[in-house]
Amino acid sequence: MVALPLVAAAAVPAAMYVSSKLSIPKDVKLIGSLIGSKKAFAAIAANDRINVTYRFEERYRMYPDREALVFEGRSYTFREIHHASNRAGNWLLSLGVKRGDIVSLLMTNKPEFIFFWLGINKIGATGAFINTNLAGKPLIHSLSTATASILIMDAELAEPVANSLEEIHEMGYTIYSVGDSRKVNFGTPLDLQQFPDTDTPEDRRRKTTIDEIAMLIYTSGTTGLPKAGRFSHTRACTGPAFWTRFYGFTEKDRIYVSLPLYHSAAAVLGMCVAWTSGATVILARKFSATHFWDDCRANNVTVIQYIGEICRYLLNTPPSPLDKVHSVRLAHGNGMRPDVWTRFKERYGIPLIGEWYASTEGTGALSNYSTGPHGAGAIGYRGALARIMDKSLKIAKFNVETEELIRDKNGRCIECGLDEPGELLTLIDSSEPTRDFKGYHQNSSATSKKVVQDVFVKGDKYFRTGDILRRDKDGFFYFGDRVGDTFRWKSENVSTAEVSEVLSLYPDCLEVNIYGVEIPGHDGRAGMAAVVAKSSMDWNKFAEYALKNLPRYSVPIFLRKVPEMEMTGTFKQRKVELVKEGMDPSTISDEMMWLDGNTYKPFKAAEHQRVISGKAKL
Ligand SMILES: *[C@@H]1O[C@H](CO)[C@@H](O)[C@H](O)[C@H]1NC(C)=O
Ligand SMILES: *[C@@H]1O[C@H](CO)[C@@H](O)[C@H](O)[C@H]1NC(C)=O
Ligand SMILES: *[C@@H]1O[C@H](CO)[C@@H](O)[C@H](O)[C@H]1NC(C)=O
Ligand SMILES: CC(=O)N[C@H]1CO[C@H](CO)[C@@H](O)[C@@H]1O
């Protein structure tokens, strides 16, 4: 699941037909927010103000001297940001940057990121938000797919750039560095103070079309090189317009943003939502489990964002009497697994948890909207009413082994029944601006791989989310796994997400990453777990727990004790490398164990030999 909000994608036109007689409260909340955001966007479009910088500017005009941003104790008003971003825009104009040009931005979370982002968009250019954790090949690849000629570089990130300097220059980049110039001995140091803070020409952003791209936001690259998703101004407006209504954001909110700004969760659901609602952003340089709640308390934070493993990291910190002392009213994000949900909500006393599901570039989204006892762990809900009216989300039968959608004899995909897992497909409709798939920049083959045609009727098109979901009879959607992560073992399908959910509930198990590895001479893939465990871990009890709580075929056969889990910048577990490294102890430096009968025992060369020769019973 990749982060992001394009929520207004959903049920809009049909939503117009809600009659009070039919209304179902949960659907109505969703549909009401969709209608509101649809109307708001229509007004924005009618005024030719689709460019996302207008969302910021509307707030600046309303209250220039209010606090817009707090970073490491320093406060910035809307006026200061307005002026700083004008300087950035005027600097880019002086370099001759044209409307539609792309400018690469490699910067950690800090106010300058926002100044440059707004400056770039104010003059009608597109920002390519480069992942700040990259070095070497993925960095070069990201910079090259941006097809830009200006790189704005945070001096703190000079090292990976310096290591690839020659290639970056060969691509035609001129590098400008921002920040402490003593750290850099290449590129041109940039001081925005030298440029005027006067407004940039209005014609650069007026009449931005529904197709124009505000930023390139890259995929996390869990399975390969990052791809540059094209994120339109339209979507930067519609998603936040919906979100602001759905979760009742106002200018009184103080949103804590600790996720990286180069990704859509922080950029769109953090920054753009703040501009849309007038809220203040408390920006952290990066996520830190130890400082998280102190920051929230010191800054009167009312909304926090989470993604993937963040809540788990917070739960792994020692309990504190201050755990419930804060003013957070809403935690929203995606990827909070059911085992964490209740513990997190209870320990920190959070009134509302808003779990949503969407992908940065995809065309549909879901959000959990349920307050009753049903649906714990659901990532989304569509009531009967919303389903009848909105046919844009489909779960289709999927072959785990070939990773292809299953077609019937007429060549059409088949919708799954209730509780049957399949791949989630979301309708692509280019006539509906929010439901148009803008594809990956400069990569038509990657773009076409995500699009499937002639799905249910001839000529229709759907976006392949790459996520396996199921829907129950009450209309709740549950996440199964990423396509490619689920594997087959003993003729059964093993969902890595489900196994890790169960195992991470074991008290001494701090983190677990489940994947399937090939064993020479065996069919399918055997389950393996990379585990970060407390030193007090009793592996026999752990095996007992696993065998009791999981079907035998999905209990990991191999264990690998790792000191820490490798994550992407957006806290997604890396599996590809682990899968590649396999189960041969001679090439793995971590201590390994295997499930011999009903207990985990050391796995060394002799045991490995027994397994691959087929003498061991697995
Ligand atoms: C937080 O709220 C308290 C109480 O209303 C107030 O005294 C304090 O100044 C606020 N702090 C910030 C950083 O806004
Ligand atoms: C596993 O998935 C395949 C589709 O890839 C499906 O045909 C099969 O029925 C599933 N097996 C089980 C045991 O659920
Ligand atoms: C396009 O994306 C694929 C991954 O889907 C990648 O292997 C390839 O290098 C990309 N091509 C370009 C030109 O970026
Ligand atoms: C935002 C929201 O409504 N979240 C809900 C998701 O589902 C669980 C389980 O039903 C609820 O407890 C949450 O409140």
Side-chain angles (χ1 to χ4, degrees):
M1 265 194 292
V2 193
L4 231 264
L6 17 135
V7 175
V12 184
M16 302 300 178
Y17 304 105
V18 188
S19 91
S20 57
K21 229 196 284 175
L22 276 176
S23 70
I24 297 170
K26 285 176 208 160
D27 281 350
V28 165
K29 168 100 179 152
L30 172 72
I31 291 165
S33 307
L34 285 166
I35 295 175
S37 55
K38 174 101 172 163
K39 276 194 191 150
F41 184 71
I44 285 167
N47 282 317
D48 289 323
R49 284 166 170 262
I50 291 176
N51 190 299
V52 71
T53 60
Y54 285 114
R55 304 294 82 70
F56 169 81
E57 194 153 320
E58 282 150 14
R59 295 294 156 176
Y60 158 66
R61 302 277 168 214
M62 282 162 97
Y63 27 68
D65 296 312
R66 261 190 75 125
E67 188 172 71
L69 182 72
V70 180
F71 180 71
E72 301 188 338
R74 156 106 154 79
S75 170
Y76 297 78
T77 62
F78 282 91
R79 189 193 304 278
E80 282 173 274
I81 297 175
H82 177 68
H83 286 154
S85 57
N86 281 354
R87 290 182 201 276
N90 284 316
W91 163 64
L92 290 166
L93 284 174
S94 78
L95 295 179
V97 172
K98 294 190 293 296
R99 186 159 172 168
D101 283 356
I102 296 172
V103 176
S104 291
L105 184 61
L106 175 69
M107 192 159 282
T108 50
N109 278 12
K110 54 174 63 171
E112 286 77 3
F113 188 112
I114 292 150
F115 306 159
F116 283 104
W117 172 11
L118 285 169
I120 290 167
N121 282 170
K122 276 182 175 179
I123 64 155
T126 300
F129 293 178
I130 309 295
N131 181 330
T132 56
N133 291 305
L134 302 182
K137 199 169 167 211
L139 175 64
I140 294 167
H141 179 82
S142 299
L143 287 170
S144 132
T145 41
T147 59
S149 59
I150 293 170
L151 169 60
I152 304 168
M153 179 195 76
D154 189 335
E156 285 175 43
L157 299 170
E159 199 183 312
V161 174
N163 291 338
S164 301
L165 203 54
E166 207 171 304
E167 290 98 326
I168 294 172
H169 281 145
E170 267 167 27
M171 290 174 216
Y173 268 105
T174 308
I175 302 172
Y176 296 89
S177 77
V178 179
D180 190 349
S181 57
R182 286 167 306 181
K183 291 182 178 156
V184 197
N185 58 5
F186 58 89
T188 310
L190 177 61
D191 178 10
L192 282 183
Q193 291 302 325
Q194 296 167 1
F195 296 88
D197 64 10
T198 46
D199 289 0
T200 50
E202 207 35 36
D203 63 359
R204 276 304 190 99
R205 56 177 178 158
R206 208 65 196 246
K207 298 197 161 72
T208 291
T209 66
I210 55 170
D211 292 322
E212 276 177 272
I213 303 300
M215 52 245 187
L216 299 182
I217 293 188
Y218 290 77
T219 58
S220 328
T222 39
T223 52
L225 290 169
K227 293 181 294 224
R230 295 162 59 83
F231 206 96
S232 64
H233 284 277
T234 302
R235 186 163 279 179
C237 293
T238 53
F242 169 82
W243 231 244
T244 297
R245 286 165 178 78
F246 195 63
Y247 285 117
F249 281 90
T250 71
E251 69 276 2
K252 292 201 182 71
D253 276 312
R254 297 172 65 83
I255 309 174
Y256 186 62
V257 174
S258 63
L259 297 167
L261 285 171
Y262 61 76
H263 222 285
S264 44
V268 184
L269 287 186
M271 293 315 305
C272 294
V273 162
W275 300 337
T276 305
S277 61
T280 303
V281 166
I282 316 302
L283 183 67
R285 201 172 276 266
K286 59 175 198 238
F287 167 76
S288 150
T290 35
H291 294 130
F292 192 92
W293 288 109
D294 289 339
D295 273 2
C296 290
R297 276 184 284 271
N299 291 289
N300 294 346
V301 164
T302 62
V303 178
I304 56 175
Q305 280 189 291
Y306 62 82
I307 191 168
E309 298 296 291
I310 277 189
C311 303
R312 206 182 287 283
Y313 292 152
L314 291 172
L315 282 174
N316 283 346
T317 60
S320 148
L322 294 176
D323 278 347
K324 288 195 174 70
V325 183
H326 57 72
S327 40
V328 172
R329 67 170 183 91
L330 164 70
H332 75 97
N334 84 333
M336 175 146 21
R337 304 304 296 162
D339 65 298
V340 168
W341 190 300
T342 323
R343 286 192 289 151
F344 192 73
K345 196 171 156 61
E346 277 167 14
R347 172 164 165 187
Y348 296 108
I350 304 202
L352 185 61
I353 294 185
E355 168 77 14
W356 44 267
Y357 164 87
S359 73
T360 305
E361 65 279 29
T363 62
L366 283 166
S367 56
N368 159 322
Y369 188 75
S370 148
T371 43
H374 302 299
I379 58 167
Y381 174 80
R382 281 294 156 92
L385 180 63
R387 280 205 309 279
I388 291 165
M389 296 190 312
D390 172 22
K391 302 206 182 293
S392 68
L393 299 174
K394 302 275 189 198
I395 297 177
K397 285 189 197 255
F398 175 81
N399 183 325
V400 170
E401 267 157 320
T402 60
E403 296 182 7
E404 289 301 330
L405 291 160
I406 297 171
R407 302 266 185 174
D408 66 14
K409 60 182 191 312
N410 303 318
R412 299 285 176 262
C413 292
I414 310 157
E415 255 194 286
C416 290
L418 293 178
D419 285 317
E420 186 187 356
E423 183 174 353
L424 180 72
L425 306 177
T426 60
L427 184 69
I428 297 176
D429 178 357
S430 344
S431 67
E432 176 70 51
T434 54
R435 218 178 257 170
D436 191 11
F437 174 47
K438 292 272 178 276
Y440 302 107
H441 190 59
Q442 300 281 319
N443 199 332
S444 53
S445 81
T447 300
S448 56
K449 266 194 205 144
K450 293 298 276 184
V451 179
V452 52
Q453 302 206 32
D454 301 328
V455 187
F456 299 107
V457 293
K458 193 162 173 46
D460 65 356
K461 275 195 209 169
Y462 280 78
F463 175 79
R464 289 191 66 172
T465 62
D467 287 319
I468 313 252
L469 265 65
R470 66 182 170 85
R471 199 187 73 218
D472 72 7
K473 62 178 185 345
D474 298 320
F476 288 101
F477 288 76
Y478 296 86
F479 179 67
D481 218 356
R482 278 295 292 171
V483 162
D485 286 352
T486 288
F487 58 88
R488 303 262 292 166
W489 179 246
K490 297 193 192 276
S491 311
E492 297 283 357
N493 304 323
V494 181
S495 152
T496 63
E498 282 168 22
V499 176
S500 74
E501 221 152 77
V502 171
L503 296 186
S504 36
L505 279 177
Y506 189 77
D508 282 348
C509 180
L510 294 176
E511 258 182 278
V512 58
N513 189 352
I514 307 291
Y515 52 100
V517 292
E518 285 176 345
I519 308 178
H522 290 72
D523 286 335
R525 290 192 283 152
M528 183 152 178
V531 184
V532 183
K534 285 194 190 153
S535 52
S536 51
M537 175 73 121
D538 177 336
W539 295 97
N540 285 333
K541 289 225 167 75
F542 180 66
E544 208 174 285
Y545 167 85
L547 287 161
K548 195 170 145 214
N549 291 286
L550 288 169
R552 175 99 203 178
Y553 61 82
S554 62
V555 174
I557 309 228
F558 303 106
L559 294 182
R560 177 174 171 167
K561 293 193 223 168
V562 295
E564 59 178 16
M565 212 61 83
E566 246 213 273
M567 293 283 170
T568 67
T570 46
F571 302 100
K572 291 187 174 67
Q573 292 182 334
R574 291 192 179 282
K575 291 189 201 278
V576 181
E577 290 83 356
L578 291 168
V579 170
K580 246 187 246 162
E581 287 166 22
M583 42 69 77
D584 181 352
S586 69
T587 57
I588 291 173
S589 52
D590 300 320
E591 193 182 330
M592 286 178 64
M593 286 190 285
W594 73 306
L595 189 66
D596 186 5
N598 290 334
T599 48
Y600 282 118
K601 294 189 182 148
F603 188 70
K604 301 213 167 86
E607 290 79 15
H608 179 251
Q609 194 50 45
R610 265 177 65 205
V611 168
I612 60 171
S613 63
K615 288 193 188 115
K617 188 173 174 297
L618 296 179

